[in-house]
Structure formats: structure tokens, C-alpha cells
Amino acid sequence: MGKATSHFVCQECGTIFPKWAGKCDACGKWNTLVEEEIVSAEGPKSVSLKAGHHLNFVTLKGTSEQTFRLKSQITELDRVCGGGLVPGSVILVGGDPGIGKSTLLLQATAKLAEVVNKKENHTRCVYISGEESIDQIRLRAHRLGLTNAHIDLASSMNVRDIITSLDGPETADIVVIDSIQTMYVDTLDSAPGTVGQVRAAGHELIRMAKRKGFVLFLVGHVTKEGTLAGPRVLEHMVDTVLYFEGDRGHHFRILRAVKNRFGATDEIGVFEMTGTGLSEVPNPSALFLAERRGNISGSCVYAGIEGSRPMLVEIQALIAPSTGTAPRRAVVGWDSNRLSMLIAVLEARCGLTLGNKDIFLNVAGGLKITEPAADMAVATALISSLSQIPVPADMVVFGEIGLSGETRAVAQMDLRLKEADKLGFKKALMPPARTKKTERRTTIHIKEEGHLKGIVDLFIGGHNGNY
Ligand code: TYD
Ligand code: MG
């Protein structure tokens, strides 16, 4: 039997199968297997051992040049990238269609074009769109007031053409490819957007970026489930993965680093979408709390940390008698398993009855919280809604809750308190801290609570949520 020349690749998860099947065994999706040519996976057949060069081994100690970073002057973007863009690095920007990726990158390149680069020249920015025509991009630039920006614009989908254009003597400093799903390599038969094409196009462009030393931005679309559609493979190939997220019903957008070889992950940048493009939000807490109405039960302000920044957000809970056989539990912006755990702890350790109630939880403004430190704030919102007693309007809450109902200290408590202080909050409900009270530099009145029962007593025990 001859050697197989093609195999089948799942377009969702990238798993390779020798035979076609209706369903991918790895991710369970239907109709996702597509035939692709096998491109010599093992590389050249036999490498003569003599052919290589000796590696030059060195010690960990030594002087290395400080990484040069191009600053886009969009502080929120620079911070997420670890303090600026590193030449030769590849940044994948993922996000839902219409969230504002093209707008962000056009604004960023316009700013970058004004910056002086390492070679003391003006930064050359190239923007290649496979999605929109030149006219459409010009229209957007007009709306953003960027018609005079020095950006080299082109509309193309062919990777061969792009590589040829960028290979000239006048190299670019920044290249934006919008989007990687529209690009194709003409040696492959599969359609643009398939795993094979995305991988091949990504590979070619990334190699070019490393060779020429320019910053490459790849735009990628995200599926409904929240993963980069098809090109999961790309996440491994690039240096930095940024997600641009937000709710189209809300005007603010969050740029989140999920992988970064040149900086911290979990760093976020906050933007607001306005009629004339994206504007930076230097003080997100004020924005997230702007629409808060005081004196309503079920609302609690959580003092969280996103990346290196403290951020205050409002958590809203609603508990209503259930009419159906199975009570409803709906969560927006938080982990639903975590909510189930908290409900169980409230029932088993604090004697509350929630089995016959519908429970809804919402993080106001559309922010997604992943920290377990939000437990106490969520529990407080739930207890407040159940007792119909409002949480004091000038109180913030944070802390983790364990399965026995005990509260646990979380990271960066002082930073959280400081931010709350800055925004005018007077009280904080938190777990017992390890730092001495005298070492704290806030004027906030702190209540340390060791068990969830204590919070229940604050509301149901006749204290009206006060201490
Ligand atoms: P876009 O950058 O095209 O999104 P993506 O590239 O992620 O698909 O953004 C499109 C949306 O942004 C569109 O719904 C209109 C809105 N928008 C504004 O609100 N203000 C603006 O100044 C611009 C340019 C777009
Ligand atoms: Mg776009």
C-alpha cells in the first residue's frame, strides 16, 4: 500500500485523523473534518549528523541588551503588551466580529507612525486588510480623524503577494494583518479560514516577522464559545495573545492578555467605544460604578484585582420564589459552578433555604470576573437580596469562601482597600488579614469576618447590614 498523501483535520480542535468521519472523536463536533494534504510532518528524511553546527553553550549569567520596546502611546495597549511592542514579536488579537479590533489597530498604527523607531526613523506602519476594501478603511479613518496618518494601506488576501511586498529593502516596523482567517497560501487547496490555511499563512507571516524584525499583529475572529475560531494552532506559534472583549450592548471594551512571552498575563486595558473611535479609560472603577443606584437590596461592590490593577465592580443578585419544578440559576460574568458552591455553603453551613428560589447573578457593565476573591461579595449580594436589606452604599467587600463557610485571605488586600478609599468608600468587609491593622495606610473602617455566618447575621440578625 502506498503512503497516504492526505489526512483529515478537525477545523475546531485541530486533531488529525487518517480517515474521514462525521464526528470528531476529540471535541465531539459534527462535520468538522476536512481533507488536507500531508506536508512532510517529519521534516527531511535523514539528516546527516555531520551536517550540523556546534551549539555555543553559555551560562545563565551575562549581560543581555535590554529589550527595546516601541511605545504606541496608547497606555492601555502598551501595558497589556508588557510595556510596549517588542520588534520581531507576533501579537494575535482575537475578538468577536464587530467588537472593534480593526478600529483599535488602525488607531494604534496611526499613533505608532508618529513614533521614532530604533533606527531613528519614523516607524513605518503597514496595514493589510483581507476583509475590507480600501474605501471602507478610508471611511473609518475619516471617522476616526486619522486621514493624515502615515499608514501604508493595502487590500490583499494572498500571503505570497504580502511576503513579496514586505521583503523589499524598505522594511516595515509594524505590520497588521486583518484578519488571518481571510489569508491564503496558494500552494494549498483548502479554503481560507480552514486550519490548514490559517496554520500555513500564520507560519509564513511569522517567519517573515522574525526574519525582518517587525512587529506583526494578526487579527483573528472568535467563535461563540469564546475560542479563536479554527486557529487554536496559532496560539502556540505567536508570542502574545490578546483578547478584545466586551458586550456590544455596552460601550466599553476590555483588552486582555492571555499569553505573553514579553510581559505578565491577566493584564487588562480598558477602552470606551465612542462615536469617534476607542478612547482609553484610565480609571475603570469609576466607569463600572457610574450607573450604580444606592439603597437597593442585592447589590454589592466588589474590590477586585485585574492584572496589576485594582478594579471596583458592582455585583447584582436577585432571588425570587421559583414557579417551576427546577429552580433557575443564571449567571452573567461569573463562574456558574462557583455560584452553585456558594449556594450549597449558604444552605449547609448557614441554614438558609434557597432550593425553592430562582437565583440570578450579574456583574454590572458586562465585565467577566475570574477571581475566587469575589466569593464574599457574591455571597453578600445574595444574602442582601434574600433579606431585602441593602448593602451599605459606602461598603466594599472581598474575600474567598471555603467549603466549610470560612473566609480566606486573598492577594493584594491593601491595594484593594486603597482603591476603595480613593473612590470614596468608607467601609470594607473582608477576611481576617495577616497584616497588622497599624500597618494599613487607609482610613477605611474595616470589618474582618471569619465565617460566612457572620455576614448572614449582619443582614438577618437585625443589624441591617451594618456593623
Ligand atoms: P470594527 O473595528 O470594524 O470591529 P472588528 O474589526 O472587531 O470586526 O468595529 C466595528 C464597530 O465599532 C461597529 O459596530 C461600529 C463601531 N464603531 C464605533 O462605534 N465608533 C467608531 O468610531 C468606529 C470606527 C466604529
Ligand atoms: Mg475588522
Side-chain angles (χ1 to χ4, degrees):
M1 215 174 81
K3 201 163 176 281
T5 55
S6 67
H7 53 204
F8 296 85
V9 181
C10 172
Q11 302 299 298
E12 284 290 332
C13 66
T15 312
I16 297 170
F17 299 91
K19 282 210 180 94
W20 188 85
K23 184 183 173 188
C24 169
D25 277 341
C27 66
K29 293 270 158 55
W30 288 88
N31 284 329
T32 56
L33 298 200
V34 170
E35 185 168 14
E36 283 179 15
E37 207 181 325
I38 299 178
V39 224
S40 66
E42 308 108 34
K45 281 234 168 60
S46 72
V47 182
S48 159
L49 287 179
K50 282 183 201 138
H53 291 286
H54 276 289
L55 295 178
N56 187 17
F57 293 104
V58 293
T59 56
L60 283 174
K61 209 163 74 186
T63 50
S64 5
E65 216 184 306
Q66 181 104 71
T67 324
F68 173 82
R69 288 172 190 266
L70 271 171
K71 299 255 192 226
S72 69
Q73 299 179 42
I74 299 179
T75 326
E76 301 290 305
L77 175 66
D78 286 341
R79 191 190 27 249
V80 173
C81 293
L85 310 170
V86 179
S89 68
V90 182
I91 301 163
L92 179 63
V93 182
D96 287 321
I99 206 73
K101 301 181 292 299
S102 304
T103 308
L104 175 71
L105 289 174
L106 197 63
Q107 285 185 273
T109 39
K111 283 263 192 193
L112 278 159
E114 297 166 8
V115 177
V116 174
N117 68 7
K118 211 176 174 180
K119 284 168 260 154
E120 313 270 304
N121 294 325
H122 271 284
T123 310
R124 180 173 174 231
C125 297
V126 172
Y127 190 103
I128 298 167
S129 178
E131 295 199 333
E132 290 161 306
S133 68
I134 298 289
D135 285 338
Q136 281 173 304
I137 300 168
R138 282 192 178 146
L139 215 64
R140 175 178 300 128
H142 186 75
R143 184 173 177 183
L144 300 173
L146 300 174
T147 36
N148 293 326
H150 296 285
I151 298 175
D152 289 347
L153 200 61
S155 174
S156 172
M157 295 189 211
N158 189 337
V159 174
R160 188 189 294 270
D161 293 349
I162 295 172
I163 300 267
T164 310
S165 315
L166 294 176
D167 216 358
E170 197 195 339
T171 53
D173 296 296
I174 311 279
V175 175
V176 177
I177 301 291
D178 190 1
S179 66
I180 189 67
Q181 274 110 336
T182 56
M183 297 296 148
Y184 72 93
V185 175
D186 50 19
T187 50
L188 287 185
D189 282 339
S190 40
T194 55
V195 169
Q197 280 290 8
V198 166
R199 191 195 288 132
H203 184 70
E204 292 298 330
L205 292 164
I206 290 167
R207 241 186 27 195
M208 179 87 180
K210 299 283 173 207
R211 189 157 57 83
K212 297 291 246 178
F214 58 71
V215 180
L216 176 65
F217 280 102
L218 297 174
V219 175
H221 292 297
V222 162
T223 60
K224 273 195 224 82
E225 293 84 38
T227 51
L228 282 171
R232 287 294 286 280
V233 276
L234 273 185
E235 292 196 10
H236 308 293
M237 291 157 67
V238 302
D239 299 306
T240 304
V241 179
L242 307 179
Y243 273 85
F244 204 35
E245 44 184 57
D247 201 85
R248 252 184 284 174
H250 291 103
H251 45 89
F252 71 85
R253 305 277 181 266
I254 289 168
L255 189 65
R256 191 185 291 274
V258 291
K259 164 183 173 177
N260 196 353
R261 288 188 186 145
F262 299 108
T265 48
D266 292 334
E267 199 61 82
I268 73 165
V270 184
F271 296 90
E272 190 174 359
M273 183 62 101
T274 67
T276 51
L278 291 158
S279 62
E280 297 181 62
V281 179
N283 187 353
S285 300
L287 180 77
F288 291 130
L289 296 180
E291 281 161 44
R292 189 167 65 108
R293 307 268 175 282
N295 230 20
I296 292 176
S297 65
S299 149
C300 176
V301 176
Y302 162 58
I305 300 273
E306 287 285 348
S308 60
R309 258 200 306 187
M311 200 165 290
L312 303 191
V313 277
E314 181 189 356
I315 290 178
Q316 301 171 329
L318 180 65
I319 299 185
S322 179
T323 46
T325 43
R328 293 196 57 192
R329 309 275 191 251
V331 188
V332 180
W334 206 52
D335 182 11
S336 56
N337 290 329
R338 200 90 202 161
L339 177 68
S340 306
M341 187 205 91
L342 272 186
I343 293 169
V345 173
L346 281 169
E347 291 196 313
R349 310 289 183 193
C350 307
L352 300 183
T353 318
L354 298 164
N356 53 356
K357 306 260 191 334
D358 286 341
I359 297 178
F360 304 93
L361 191 79
N362 178 37
V363 178
L367 192 76
K368 285 193 194 76
I369 298 179
T370 48
E371 269 192 309
D375 288 353
M376 262 173 83
V378 171
T380 307
L382 290 172
I383 297 165
S384 158
S385 175
L386 187 70
S387 63
Q388 303 207 344
I389 295 169
V391 179
D394 57 356
M395 182 162 93
V396 295
V397 183
F398 59 87
E400 194 179 332
I401 290 173
L403 283 183
S404 63
E406 85 281 12
T407 64
R408 295 179 173 195
V410 292
Q412 317 232 45
M413 305 233 248
D414 283 338
L415 196 60
R416 295 170 202 259
L417 290 172
K418 237 166 85 185
E419 176 80 355
D421 199 0
K422 204 169 92 191
L423 281 140
F425 286 83
K426 298 276 177 275
K427 297 173 182 168
L429 184 59
M430 59 184 253
R434 271 158 271 165
T435 46
K436 290 198 190 77
K437 284 195 179 83
T438 47
E439 285 170 21
R440 290 201 194 105
R441 272 158 290 158
T442 62
T443 52
I444 288 194
H445 183 48
I446 291 165
K447 163 87 172 160
E448 291 181 353
E449 190 51 73
H451 198 276
L452 191 50
K453 251 200 172 117
I455 306 178
V456 173
D457 286 342
L458 273 187
F459 287 85
I460 296 173
H463 297 280
N464 272 347
N466 251 314
Y467 55 83

